[in-house]
Amino acid sequence: MPKKLHPKPHFLVAHRHRRHHFLAAWVRSPLKIGAVLPSSRGLARAMASQVDAGKPGAVIELGAGTGVVTHALLKAGITPDRLIVIERDPHLHSIMAAQFPHLHVLCADAIDLDAVLAENGITQINAIVSSLPLVSMPKPVQHGIIRQMAALIGEDGNIVQFTYSLRSPIRAQLMRQFHLHGERVKRVLANVPPAHVWVYRRGH
């Protein structure tokens, strides 16, 4: 009697598809993607846990990739109408739009964040959750994105950013310049490579 084949669990198939598409995006643009593998579910949960779902305002996700962090934010209680997902890579954007048809998934560059949010009528920000490779970005681009994020979160919002570096992904000089203070809140050793989650708020 032939051996019965058991289908692979859906989450394993989805994970492999995410890795394939993310690797393809990295090959197309390694400096803009910043990693060969997508974030782990553990890292995604660690980032999502830093967003207060009970606080009013939109949650902006930058560099959504294949949706691991997006899924974690939804599981953490962020309602679809409040989640704005931004991904600049057209192929990854099309995957995200198909995977999350009930979300606002925008194909845009974070360097245009002010204009993108204004065009979509977003005025109150709860949090900005970023998977952007800030450390490897050209300094003018990095400075421009951080300046906008710092202004958009106002006095009550926060920026959640992960990095593979042991140091803050936003340098002390830029924190002073844009009136931010930050702290490392989580270390995710199970991620490949190990990652650190930082949270930044406006100084008072």
Side-chain angles (χ1 to χ4, degrees):
M1 184 176 179
K3 186 177 180 180
K4 186 176 181 180
L5 297 177
H6 296 281
K8 294 174 181 173
H10 174 72
F11 72 87
L12 288 178
V13 175
H15 178 65
R16 289 172 183 172
H17 285 172
R18 282 197 295 268
R19 287 195 303 178
H20 168 77
H21 290 302
F22 200 87
L23 178 58
W26 180 84
V27 170
R28 289 194 301 272
S29 188
L31 290 179
K32 291 175 180 175
I33 297 298
V36 178
L37 295 175
S39 302
S40 67
R41 284 179 290 174
L43 175 55
R45 287 193 297 268
M47 296 178 74
S49 70
Q50 301 306 313
V51 180
D52 182 356
K55 187 191 298 182
V59 175
I60 313 301
E61 184 188 359
L62 301 180
T66 55
V68 182
V69 177
T70 312
H71 182 71
L73 288 167
L74 293 169
K75 291 281 285 184
I78 306 302
T79 56
D81 60 303
R82 295 171 56 209
L83 183 55
I84 309 297
V85 180
I86 297 177
E87 172 53 55
R88 71 175 303 280
D89 184 270
H91 185 63
L92 291 178
H93 168 263
S94 66
I95 292 170
M96 287 292 297
Q99 185 180 181
F100 299 100
H102 56 304
L103 295 183
H104 302 289
V105 182
L106 308 176
C107 188
D109 197 312
I111 195 62
D112 302 316
L113 187 57
D114 281 345
V116 169
L117 296 184
E119 287 171 5
N120 286 272
I122 307 299
T123 57
Q124 186 178 13
I125 308 297
N126 173 337
I128 298 175
V129 181
S130 168
S131 297
L132 299 175
L134 287 179
V135 175
S136 64
M137 286 180 169
K139 286 186 178 179
V141 175
Q142 180 193 91
H143 294 187
I145 292 172
I146 294 170
R147 175 187 58 78
Q148 292 178 77
M149 291 197 295
L152 287 165
I153 61 171
E155 299 299 326
D156 300 318
N158 65 2
I159 300 165
V160 182
Q161 172 74 50
F162 88 87
T163 182
Y164 301 125
S165 172
L166 294 175
R167 298 181 178 180
S168 167
I170 300 179
R171 292 180 290 114
Q173 176 189 349
L174 292 181
M175 283 195 278
R176 289 193 298 270
Q177 182 177 345
F178 300 123
H179 309 290
L180 293 170
H181 60 88
E183 62 175 327
R184 182 173 58 185
V185 295
K186 296 273 186 179
R187 279 183 282 190
V188 185
L189 299 179
N191 196 73
V192 181
H196 308 265
V197 178
W198 285 74
V199 173
Y200 301 88
R201 295 180 175 84
R202 290 281 292 274
H204 296 286

